[in-house]
Each structure stands twice: as C-alpha cells, then as structure tokens.
C-alpha cells in the first residue's frame, strides 16, 4: 500500500484533489472496512486542511471505485455500517506464457521426489493464485488440471509436519484412511518415512498385524492418533532379494540407492537389493519385463512367477 | 456498466490511468486511444491533462518512470499499487526455482522465468526484494546439484532447443548399448523432456509416421536438414484396461483420457497418446495383472510375448 504521510492541501498543486482523496480512501479500505466517520477522520489526518465529506460525496467516490472494478459492499447492519472492499482490479496478472511456465516447472520438478520442495512450490503458487483476479485463477487451475496429475498437498501442512516428526521417532500410529475403493479403513502402523512419487505424497510404515510394509497416500488420511508409547515398536523385516538383468536393461542399468551390483559381465548383471517393501521390488522387476529374472529368495521368486502367470491369463492365454 | 451512476469523472480517469499502467507501460497516444473508446470518457485528453493525472498518482506515492528514448517514451509504473505478501519460505522457493531453471539449460525457460520474476517483483516490497537477494547469496554454491544433474547434456539441449524454434527437420545419430552400429533417424523436433537424471528429445518421425522419444545419453550428434517441419503431431493411441484397486485409485497422466468406465466390473478403459510406447509399457507392466493392453494389436502381442519370455526365464532355472 502506498502512503505519503501527512500532506497539506495547499501543497497539492497541479493534481486532482478528488482523485487524491479517492486513492487515499482506497488505501484505507485495503487495510480495514471503514464507515463514513472513519473515512473523514483519516482523510483529515492525512490531508491537513481537508474538509469533511458528505455522505453523498463519499457515495460518489465509492461508485467511482466500483466502476473501475472494485467490489465494495454498502454499509449495513451486517457489516457495522462500514464500506468493505471485497475485491479490486489491481491484482497481479499472469500471462498465458507465465501460467504455462509455472505448470511446466512444477511438472518437471514433480519427478524429483523432493516432497518439501513440492510443498514449498505449492504454497508459493497458491499464494500467487490468491492474489490473481478470480477469472485468472480459474484459468490457471483449469490449465494445471489438464496437464498435471499432482495431488495438492499444501492444504495439509499441519498433518505433514506431524507425520514428519512421527517418522523421525518411528512412532506407532492409529490411522483412519479412505482407501481407493472409498471405504474407510483403520489400522496401526509404525511409520518410517514420507516420500513424493508420481505427483503424490506417501507415508510408509509397517503394519505388524498383516506383517507388511504399507504405503498410504497422505491426502487420503482422515485421522491420526498416537498409540501408547509403552507398546513395543514393530519393525519390518528387511528382505534381501537378488535378481539378474540381461539384454538392454543390463547394458543401461544403474544402481538405485537401495541396490548393489554383485556380479557383472558383458551380457548380464546380478543385483542385490535390501528392502522392507517387497511390493516395490515386485513393481521394479515387472517393469524390466523379460530382461529380469529373480534368483532368490525362493518365496519372492514364486510370487513373481505367480504374478506373471496371472498376467498371461488376463490375456486369455494359459502358460 | 451503469452509465447513470454518479461518479467523479476526473478521479475515474486518474484511477483508470493507474489500472492501465499496472498492466503495462504506455505512451500518450496509446493512452488516448483507450480513453477515446472508454464509455466513461469518450474523448482524447491533452498532454497537460495526462501529466496532471500522472502528477496526482506520483503525489499519492506511486512511482512512475519518466518517458525517455530508452523506454520508447512510455510511462511505466515501477511498483505495483498493491504489494503481495510472500513468506520467507516462499521467497526462498523463488530463488531455488531460479537455480533449478538454469540447471535445465533451456534458454526459453530461463527467459520465461525472468519474465515471471520481473512481473512478481513489481508486487513485492523492498524488504521482500532484499530478503530474496540474501537468499540468492546463501544459495550460491548450495544448489550445484541442480546444475550438475543435466550439465552433461547442456550442449545438446541448447542445440535441440534452437532446432525446435527453427522448426526444420533434423537428423539424429544415436546408438543404444545393445546396438552394434550407430543409427540415424529423421525427426521434426518438438520438445525436451526430463525424467529424474535423464533427458529426452521428442519429435515426429515422418518416415514411420509416429512421435518418438530418444534418450540424450545415447545421442551422438544432431544435424539440421534444410526441410521445414510439417507440424505433424499425430500420436496414435495405446488403449488399455485397468482393473481392481488400480482402476479405483487411478489418476490420469497427461495425454490420457478415459474412454469407458464400467462400475459393475470395476474397470476403466484408457487411451494414452504417448511418444514413447516403451516407457508406457514399463509403467503398465508394473500394474501386473490389473492391466491389459488392448490396442494396437502389435503392442498387445508384444506384451504377451514379453510375459511369456519372462516366464520362460524361470522354466530354465
């Protein structure tokens, strides 16, 4: 908001005093709703020598602002007989190129798996959007929806901060959760970490009852309660899996954080991964297609074999 | 607009001037063209009158630059009338984005970021601007990992970006690790894609009539051909069905659309328009038996053969 401090009306030379007054009133309304009395008091404070304005004059001034694009509610009982500035036309506007740029950058960065960065970007963009004219905000959101599959996480900052603390302490939580089939489920899990993947924030933890690592979308968590500190923390078993890659996958292979190369030759590479989540490794193995063979443990190899048979049968082809 | 409403016509013109200058810079002639067509003015104003209005705005605290040869004799509102409040975290994010964008090595993105920064800076207070400058100093050297991610591809990225702009066909020489020889393909360059540590170029291959995606890690050389691109953006669809829990929670990717949704069987039929069917296939395989590729027939047969071969791996063990 612009302010020049107190000014004497005699010093207002070669300017439109009326326009000066209306700009002062606009700045007042930006700060707080104002009654006729507030407006006159503030004007006389700001402009020495300024006369008191009649109700009709103030009304004309408000109409001038409204014609320009300001939405100002009339004084009534519900607003304590004050003028309230609801919206104005001096908001920031983003060009189509600027909108597309922000969406493109968000899309590029969403593969970075850095959830804190994505949260900060969401917060920044939401703050900017709240300062856009409504039709620009709508346009941006429509464009974003057609390009990005990201799930909004900036509206869950409190929950995310809590979960981050709980993960650091490996707390056991009782979680109420809306699953993908829209049923509400509840369970206890010992939480481990947050991760950002495929445009959504996930909470990873170990469910002792089913003896499995679970991966929950944070935006679907309805409620979180801490389970008694005295209960024993459940920890998932770390499974060591070995698999072999051949073909193009072997030639272009580069180890992820949780993997190491056991053996490598011209045609293939044997990889060892230690994991708490067999589900994740199953997905990784399936993605390699025929280039991948699980070597051990036998139980996981059989799981993969059965999965491949199910996949083939879904094409109505028996193995 | 209610033209019978009582307003102060002079104040309206001054505020309209403020609104216009907030959108962009103007010279006197341009302002008068707008005043002439405005239903509450309907005439041109003398230079003296416009100067008086500018003086009113300056007296109200708005900084308006004087017209000079450097700014093509236009009046420019240096700071926006209303400031946006950004938290320190949000200001720091703007600086982090600056480093990320420069690490993508695309001139177009750097320019767009510059325009965005110039636009938003007008709405920031002096304190916010100086906070951003402090964050720039703090982040100098801190964000080198962003710069390093794609540094090895920067020359190819910049070259491809120019080719996209010039819109002429190119010939790409590449060799995948399993290829014995180098290969050449002709492309009409379209865009650059990033996926974690990898960069891909996307273009339309006029010989096979399809879009293709090539990993820059395997590109040896790109040369421009003296033939204009024909703007062919044809992407043939891959149609697949999703079932069970994967169908229930599925979020569409860009360039995907739902063809059919069957609540009874709990399935959805999706068409994906992608420039790299192999990359799509990797993702679809992850869905296991919850996904069935329907079309094109060649891809469906490819998937069946792939699963069959994968099963054979276990038969030989």
């Amino acid at each position: 908001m612009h302010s020049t401090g107190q000014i004497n009306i005699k010093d207002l030379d070669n300017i439109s005093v009326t326009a000066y007054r209306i700009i002062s009133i606009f700045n007042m309304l930006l700060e707080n709703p104002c009654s006729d009395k507030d407006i006159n008091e503030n004007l006389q404070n700001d402009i020495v020598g300024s006369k008191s304005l009649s109700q009709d004059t103030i009304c004309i001034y408000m109409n001038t602002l409204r014609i320009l694009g300001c939405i100002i509610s009339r004084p009534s009982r519900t607003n304590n007989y004050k003028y309230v500035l609801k919206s104005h036309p001096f908001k920031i506007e983003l060009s189509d190129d600027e909108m597309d740029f922000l969406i493109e950058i968000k899309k590029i960065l969403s593969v970075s798996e850095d959830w804190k960065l994505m949260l900060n970007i969401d917060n920044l963009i939401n703050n900017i959007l709240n300062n856009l004219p409504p039709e620009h905000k709508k346009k941006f959101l429509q464009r974003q929806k057609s390009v990005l599959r990201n799930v909004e996480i900036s509206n869950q900052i409190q929950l995310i901060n809590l979960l981050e603390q709980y993960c650091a302490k490996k707390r056991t939580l009782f979680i109420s959760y809306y699953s993908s089939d829209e049923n509400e489920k509840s369970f206890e899990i010992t939480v481990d970490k947050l991760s950002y993947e495929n445009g959504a924030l996930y909470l990873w933890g170990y469910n002792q009852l089913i003896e499995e690592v679970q991966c929950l979308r944070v935006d679907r968590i309805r409620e979180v309660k801490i389970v008694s500190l005295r209960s024993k923390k459940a920890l998932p078993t770390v499974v060591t899996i070995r698999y072999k890659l051949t073909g193009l996958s072997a030639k272009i292979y580069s180890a992820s954080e949780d993997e190491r190369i056991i053996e490598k030759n011209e045609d293939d590479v044997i990889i060892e991964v230690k994991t708490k989540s067999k589900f994740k490794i199953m997905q990784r193995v399936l993605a390699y297609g025929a280039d991948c063979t699980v070597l051990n443990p036998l139980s996981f190899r059989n799981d993969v074999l059965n999965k491949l048979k199910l996949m083939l049968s879904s094409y109505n082809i028996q193995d | 607009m209610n033209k019978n409403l009582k307003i102060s016509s002079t104040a309206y013109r001054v505020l309209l001037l403020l609104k216009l200058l907030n959108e962009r810079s103007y010279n006197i002639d341009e302002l008068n063209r707008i005043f002439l067509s405005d239903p509450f003015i309907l005439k041109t104003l003398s230079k003296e009158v416009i100067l008086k209005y500018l003086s009113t705005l300056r007296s109200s605290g708005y900084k308006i630059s004087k017209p000079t040869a450097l700014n093509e004799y236009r009046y420019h509102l240096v700071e926006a009338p209303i400031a946006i409040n950004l938290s320190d975290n949000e200001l720091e994010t703007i600086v982090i984005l600056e480093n990320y964008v420069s690490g993508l090595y695309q001139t177009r993105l750097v320019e767009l970021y510059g325009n965005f920064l110039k636009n938003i800076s007008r709405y920031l207070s002096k304190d916010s601007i100086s906070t951003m400058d402090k964050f720039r100093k703090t982040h100098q050297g801190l964000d080198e990992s962003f710069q390093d991610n794609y540094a090895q591809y920067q020359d190819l990225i910049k070259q491809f970006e120019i080719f996209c702009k010039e819109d002429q066909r190119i010939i790409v020489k590449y060799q995948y690790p399993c290829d014995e020889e180098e290969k050449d393909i002709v492309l009409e360059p379209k865009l650059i894609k990033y996926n974690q540590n990898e960069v891909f170029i996307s273009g339309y291959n006029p010989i096979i009539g399809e879009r293709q995606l090539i990993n820059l890690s395997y590109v040896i050389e790109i040369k421009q051909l003296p033939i204009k691109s024909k703007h062919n953006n044809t992407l043939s669809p891959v149609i697949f069905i999703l079932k069970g829990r994967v169908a229930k929670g599925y979020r569409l990717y860009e360039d995907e659309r739902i063809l059919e949704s069957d609540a009874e069987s709990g399935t959805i039929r999706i068409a994906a328009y992608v420039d790299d069917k192999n990359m799509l296939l990797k993702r679809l395989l992850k869905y296991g038996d919850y996904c069935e590729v329907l079309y094109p027939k060649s891809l469906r047969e490819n998937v069946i053969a792939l699963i069959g071969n994968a099963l054979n791996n276990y038969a030989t063990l």
Side-chain angles (χ1 to χ4, degrees):
Chain A
M1 197 190 72
H2 290 262
S3 168
T4 54
Q6 203 179 50
I7 199 161
N8 196 309
I9 201 163
K10 292 175 195 169
D11 297 332
L12 296 175
D13 190 36
N14 193 36
I15 73 161
S16 160
V17 176
T18 307
Y20 188 91
R21 284 198 192 108
I22 293 182
I23 290 170
S24 298
I25 292 170
F26 174 69
N27 285 329
M28 286 177 218
L29 292 176
L30 279 172
E31 295 260 293
N32 291 306
C34 295
S35 62
D36 291 335
K37 189 181 166 201
D38 295 331
I39 287 169
N40 274 317
E41 271 176 14
N42 287 329
L43 274 178
Q44 281 161 355
N45 278 337
D46 289 346
I47 308 170
V48 175
S50 178
K51 290 179 191 169
S52 187
L53 303 174
S54 68
Q55 232 179 14
D56 283 345
T57 305
I58 292 176
C59 200
I60 289 171
Y61 288 1
M62 293 300 169
N63 286 340
T64 310
L65 287 170
R66 288 189 185 105
I67 289 293
L68 203 66
C70 293
I71 298 178
I72 302 171
S73 59
R74 297 182 192 289
S76 69
R77 204 168 35 165
T78 52
N79 58 27
N80 286 331
Y81 299 99
K82 296 190 183 211
Y83 291 98
V84 181
L85 178 66
K86 292 190 169 169
S87 152
H88 60 79
F90 300 104
K91 291 176 184 274
I92 183 170
E93 287 185 10
L94 294 179
S95 65
D96 286 353
D97 277 350
E98 283 165 355
M99 286 193 195
D100 289 341
F101 163 73
L102 286 174
I103 294 167
E104 189 177 351
I105 287 302
K106 208 170 151 177
K107 186 180 164 190
I108 291 171
L109 293 177
S110 65
V111 299
S112 74
E113 298 181 347
D114 183 344
W115 65 266
K116 285 189 180 178
L117 175 64
M118 292 315 297
L119 186 60
N120 288 336
I121 290 172
D122 269 351
N123 285 336
L124 170 66
I125 290 179
N126 284 339
N127 195 345
I128 294 171
L129 287 183
N130 288 336
N131 284 281
L132 292 183
E135 64 277 9
H136 277 233
K137 180 176 176 178
K138 192 178 170 186
K139 192 179 185 184
F140 182 94
L141 291 172
Q142 275 170 349
R143 275 166 121 99
Q144 182 174 251
K145 195 177 172 186
S146 70
V147 173
L148 292 180
R149 61 193 302 271
N150 294 19
V151 176
E152 179 72 42
I153 57 174
S154 62
N155 51 5
Q156 295 185 290
I157 295 176
Q158 267 189 324
L159 173 63
I160 292 168
N161 287 338
L162 265 178
L163 290 175
E164 193 187 14
Q165 287 171 34
Y166 294 150
C167 286
K169 293 174 184 170
K170 308 291 182 217
R171 297 294 286 268
T172 302
L173 305 176
F174 187 78
I175 292 181
S176 299
Y177 183 77
Y178 281 118
S179 63
S180 56
D181 52 11
E182 287 165 14
N183 290 327
E184 193 174 324
K185 296 175 180 172
S186 303
F187 36 76
E188 249 180 51
I189 68 166
T190 302
V191 293
D192 180 38
K193 63 174 184 176
L194 289 164
S195 75
Y196 191 85
E197 292 170 43
N198 298 317
L201 185 62
Y202 293 90
L203 172 70
W204 293 80
Y206 182 64
N207 185 325
Q208 195 181 23
L209 195 65
I210 59 173
E211 291 180 345
E212 265 186 31
V213 169
Q214 283 190 282
C215 169
L216 308 173
R217 253 176 55 181
V218 170
D219 60 293
R220 292 210 183 116
I221 293 175
R222 198 182 72 79
E223 196 183 10
V224 168
K225 288 180 191 168
I226 302 174
V227 172
S228 165
L229 289 169
R230 277 175 287 181
S231 61
K232 194 178 166 188
K233 276 185 195 157
L235 293 171
T237 318
V238 175
V239 177
T240 302
I241 294 170
R242 283 193 184 188
Y243 62 91
K244 182 171 78 172
L245 289 180
T246 55
L248 178 63
S249 302
K251 299 223 192 288
I252 64 172
Y253 171 77
S254 94
S256 317
E257 257 179 46
D258 53 356
E259 292 180 334
R260 67 183 185 108
I261 296 173
I262 302 295
E263 199 180 302
K264 186 175 177 163
N265 58 45
E266 207 179 297
D267 296 324
D268 51 50
V269 58
I270 295 178
I271 296 138
E272 183 180 274
V273 54
K274 290 188 192 296
T275 184
K276 298 173 193 171
S277 169
K278 284 193 281 186
F279 171 73
K280 228 180 152 180
I281 306 304
M282 171 69 80
Q283 286 196 318
R284 205 181 289 180
V285 161
L286 290 175
Y288 283 129
D291 284 355
C292 178
T293 312
V294 172
L295 301 174
N296 48 60
L298 184 63
S299 58
F300 186 68
R301 207 175 86 211
N302 287 337
D303 288 342
V304 171
L305 190 54
N306 289 333
K307 183 61 82 175
L308 289 169
K309 285 179 180 171
L310 278 172
M311 285 165 73
L312 201 58
S313 72
S314 71
Y315 286 90
N316 294 323
I317 294 170
Q318 296 304 316
D319 175 36
Chain B
M1 237 185 257
N2 186 354
K3 286 171 72 177
N4 295 325
L5 214 54
K6 260 187 166 178
I7 64 168
S8 161
S9 50
T10 308
Y12 171 79
R13 291 170 200 167
V14 172
L15 288 164
L16 177 62
L17 181 59
L18 178 65
K19 190 179 163 195
L20 291 170
L21 293 178
N22 188 42
E23 289 161 11
R24 65 172 185 91
S25 53
Y26 285 91
N27 61 32
I28 300 274
D29 288 338
E30 286 165 338
L31 286 169
N32 264 326
R33 272 198 284 276
I34 293 173
F35 293 150
L36 188 60
S37 63
D38 187 281
F40 290 91
I41 305 173
L42 293 173
K43 62 179 183 179
T44 58
L45 304 172
S46 69
K47 188 179 175 184
E48 288 70 32
V49 166
I50 294 179
L51 288 176
K52 180 177 173 179
Y53 294 170
L54 290 165
S55 175
T56 307
L57 291 175
R58 288 189 178 108
S59 300
S60 300
Y62 300 110
K63 282 188 191 150
I64 300 169
S65 62
K66 290 191 194 290
T68 64
L70 279 171
N71 61 24
E72 295 172 6
Y73 299 100
R74 287 160 180 273
Y75 294 96
H76 169 65
L77 185 63
V78 175
E79 287 168 8
I82 315 289
I84 293 178
N85 286 326
L86 294 183
S87 66
D88 281 3
N89 216 339
E90 287 159 358
L91 292 168
E92 189 177 10
T93 302
I94 291 179
V95 170
I96 290 173
L97 281 180
E98 200 169 304
N99 292 332
Y100 257 116
V101 168
S102 71
L104 297 173
Y105 298 104
Q106 283 194 59
T107 312
R108 173 184 68 90
L109 292 176
V110 170
E111 276 173 9
L112 284 170
Y113 176 82
N115 292 341
F116 164 71
L117 185 65
K118 197 173 162 187
N119 185 2
I120 196 150
S121 296
R122 283 186 59 244
Y123 290 83
L124 297 178
S125 65
K126 284 195 178 103
D127 283 346
S128 294
I129 302 274
S130 88
T131 303
M132 265 201 330
D133 287 338
K134 281 183 197 154
F135 280 128
R136 273 194 191 95
K137 285 180 187 150
T138 321
H139 278 270
Q140 239 171 21
L142 259 190
D143 301 331
E144 274 170 4
S145 59
F146 306 159
Q147 311 284 329
D148 290 343
N149 232 359
Y150 307 119
Q152 57 182 310
Y153 307 115
Q154 59 176 297
D155 291 338
L156 281 173
I157 290 171
K158 285 175 183 171
Q159 192 185 29
F160 188 78
E161 193 188 17
I162 293 170
F163 292 152
C164 285
K165 203 171 168 184
E166 291 174 356
D167 206 22
Q168 284 175 222
R169 287 185 182 178
I170 55 173
I171 187 159
V172 180
K173 191 188 289 284
Y174 69 97
Q175 185 174 15
Y176 281 99
C178 54
D179 293 335
E180 284 177 9
E181 290 171 348
E182 292 171 357
K183 290 180 182 174
D184 289 331
I185 54 162
V186 173
L187 287 182
E188 293 183 357
K190 297 296 170 203
L191 46 91
I192 297 167
K193 287 188 178 179
Y194 302 84
N195 186 9
Q196 293 181 323
N197 295 333
E198 295 173 308
V199 187
F200 299 83
I201 52 174
S202 173
Y204 172 72
N205 184 329
I207 311 295
I208 64 171
E210 274 193 16
R211 284 274 285 272
Q212 272 189 271
L213 205 64
I214 301 177
N215 190 325
L216 278 187
S217 302
Y218 309 117
V219 169
I220 299 160
E221 190 183 52
I222 307 176
K223 278 187 182 163
Q224 197 178 47
L225 295 171
I227 307 167
K228 239 354 199 167
S229 293
K230 288 184 182 169
H231 302 284
N232 199 324
N233 273 312
T234 311
L235 281 167
S236 53
V238 171
I239 300 175
F240 55 94
I241 282 186
L242 292 178
K243 309 165 194 173
R245 62 174 180 78
V246 173
K248 282 175 186 155
Y250 192 71
R251 286 174 290 133
L252 286 173
Y253 281 73
E254 190 189 3
D255 303 327
E256 281 186 352
R257 59 187 184 91
I258 295 177
L259 296 176
E260 197 183 310
S261 181
D262 187 339
E264 211 180 295
S265 61
T267 61
I268 45 173
R269 186 183 293 231
I270 293 168
Y273 296 83
V274 295
D275 39 18
D276 187 338
K277 291 184 172 56
N278 285 331
M279 220 182 246
L280 172 66
L281 195 55
K282 276 183 174 306
R283 175 162 64 86
L284 297 185
L285 286 170
K286 282 187 187 181
Y287 299 143
D289 54 314
Y290 292 112
C291 175
E292 181 189 342
V293 172
L294 298 175
Y295 176 90
K297 191 179 167 193
S298 55
L299 190 66
R300 180 183 168 88
E301 285 167 357
N302 189 6
V303 170
I304 293 169
L306 201 143
I307 300 170
N309 290 339
L311 276 166
N312 285 342
N313 290 341
Y314 295 89
T316 55
L317 272 178

